[in-house]
Amino acid sequence: MNKWGCLSFILLLVVAYKVVQPVALGGQELHDASNQARSRSYKTMIRVEKEQVYQGYLLLVNKDYPVHRQGVSTDVVKLSKHGYLVDGYLLHDDSIQLSEKVAKAFLDMVHAAIGDDVNHFLINSGYRSFEEQNKLYKQMGSDYALPAGNSEHNLGLSLDIGSTLKKMEQAPEGKWLKENAWKYGFVLRYPEDKVDITRIQYEPWHYRYVGLPHSAIMQESQFTLEEYLDYLNEVKEMTTTFEGGSYVISYYPVSENVTIQVPNNRKYVISGDNREGIIVTVFP
Ligand SMILES: [Zn+2]
């Protein structure tokens, strides 16, 4: 190769590197680079139905945004009937239900904690049907429970985790979860310093499954789900790296059925935000 050929080759390498380089949060220049990469590899057009806004792992549920029937997890199981899901921790009672996928993630998390000698976990509450939530609301009152349809427990993606040693604020289980739950797709949904945003008192026991890489981003930026969804809505697209893999996360408003581009050779997951859009997460 002559001198100019060699220079062109190096230039080509630099351009290629910029196009495929993983991007940190934001970053206009790198954001553009990722758009170029996307237009080259995203070939398949798919139709997204308005219904999908109300389904998935990133649904925001609070006093303003109730659970839609189609948002309830379709894999809810009674944990006591699936012995392999209850290994290394206790259930408050045999009636506790949860999404099977979330229960598996919880199991992985508990086993990791046991490896750190933190091993007194208890599930106090999981999935609640609208009827159960209504009963709880009537018993506990509006200061302590949410009306039917306005609780994350109605999704099957949230659980109240306890310790058999002491209250979660003081228990090693509470401390361990605060530091590590994000690695397993969970977030502490109602942190002490975000009450003004969540409008729910600090609940050191209430964890919500959102899945990776979202829990990692939320942990790093100290986002509540409200803040994270607002952020995605604002930036429309971001790329993040987790365990060496590059994820592209895109937000699309969906006021009616729309058509979007997805990659034809990479795994992707679509979740609604339960408000007015969907989030497409493309895996490495
Ligand atoms: Zn709860």
Side-chain angles (χ1 to χ4, degrees):
M1 198 180 291
N2 65 28
K3 190 171 79 178
W4 294 114
C6 185
L7 261 179
S8 312
F9 181 65
I10 289 168
L11 193 65
L12 192 70
L13 275 184
V14 169
V15 170
Y17 174 72
K18 277 196 83 70
V19 170
V20 300
Q21 190 183 21
V23 186
L25 294 183
Q28 192 52 45
E29 186 192 1
L30 297 175
H31 181 83
D32 291 346
S34 113
N35 275 343
Q36 286 172 33
R38 189 166 84 144
S39 62
R40 289 196 314 179
S41 64
Y42 282 39
K43 300 287 186 209
T44 314
M45 303 294 285
I46 60 159
R47 201 173 147 79
V48 176
E49 313 283 331
K50 173 77 177 157
E51 287 244 306
Q52 286 176 259
V53 170
Y54 309 114
Q55 298 170 329
Y57 292 114
L58 291 172
L59 299 178
L60 177 68
V61 170
N62 57 27
K63 286 170 185 157
D64 297 330
Y65 299 100
V67 174
H68 292 239
R69 293 270 172 186
Q70 61 267 49
V72 178
S73 301
T74 52
D75 66 340
V76 168
V77 292
K78 195 173 268 187
L79 295 177
S80 59
K81 290 202 168 162
H82 297 75
Y84 81 100
L85 288 174
V86 193
D87 171 33
Y89 68 93
L90 298 176
L91 294 175
H92 178 269
D93 62 80
D94 281 354
S95 71
I96 288 178
Q97 301 179 78
L98 200 59
S99 148
E100 189 175 11
K101 177 170 170 152
V102 174
K104 283 177 182 167
F106 179 73
L107 193 65
D108 287 345
M109 181 162 77
V110 164
H111 288 171
I114 291 172
D116 289 341
D117 287 331
V118 179
N119 48 18
H120 290 85
F121 288 98
L122 170 74
I123 296 184
N124 282 314
S125 187
Y127 165 75
R128 293 179 206 140
S129 67
F130 285 32
E131 292 70 27
E132 285 165 326
Q133 186 70 34
N134 199 23
K135 204 169 135 194
L136 194 74
Y137 182 68
K138 282 182 178 160
Q139 275 171 2
M140 308 279 286
S142 59
D143 286 346
Y144 297 97
L146 286 158
N150 291 95
S151 165
E152 286 198 333
H153 285 281
N154 301 144
L155 288 172
L157 304 177
S158 289
L159 68 169
D160 294 338
I161 308 171
S163 164
T164 55
L165 294 176
K166 38 182 130 172
K167 286 186 170 181
M168 281 298 264
E169 294 96 304
Q170 292 106 33
E173 286 70 26
K175 187 171 178 289
W176 191 94
L177 286 178
K178 250 183 166 176
E179 289 168 13
N180 297 288
W182 65 271
K183 297 173 191 168
Y184 303 89
F186 291 93
V187 293
L188 177 70
R189 183 65 181 89
Y190 307 118
E192 199 167 11
D193 57 348
K194 299 280 185 163
V195 173
D196 55 327
I197 292 163
T198 62
R199 292 173 293 151
I200 300 278
Q201 291 306 305
Y202 175 42
E203 292 195 356
W205 55 85
H206 182 107
Y207 279 81
R208 159 72 188 270
Y209 184 81
V210 290
L212 284 163
H214 308 289
S215 54
I217 300 166
M218 290 171 73
Q219 173 79 10
E220 187 173 343
S221 300
Q222 292 291 295
F223 280 151
T224 58
L225 188 55
E226 285 86 353
E227 292 169 301
Y228 180 48
L229 294 173
D230 283 349
Y231 175 78
L232 291 179
N233 192 338
E234 192 189 316
V235 298
K236 302 296 184 228
E237 183 177 300
M238 64 173 286
T239 306
T240 190
T241 50
F242 177 70
E243 289 186 338
S246 178
Y247 295 74
V248 183
I249 302 163
S250 308
Y251 175 91
Y252 298 89
V254 180
S255 52
E256 52 196 49
N257 298 348
V258 295
T259 303
I260 61 166
Q261 278 193 322
V262 291
N264 51 9
N265 53 1
R266 281 167 75 178
K267 177 189 165 188
Y268 65 90
V269 171
I270 295 179
S271 173
D273 67 356
N274 209 32
R275 300 194 289 191
E276 60 214 7
I278 56 147
I279 296 104
V280 181
T281 307
V282 177
F283 286 68

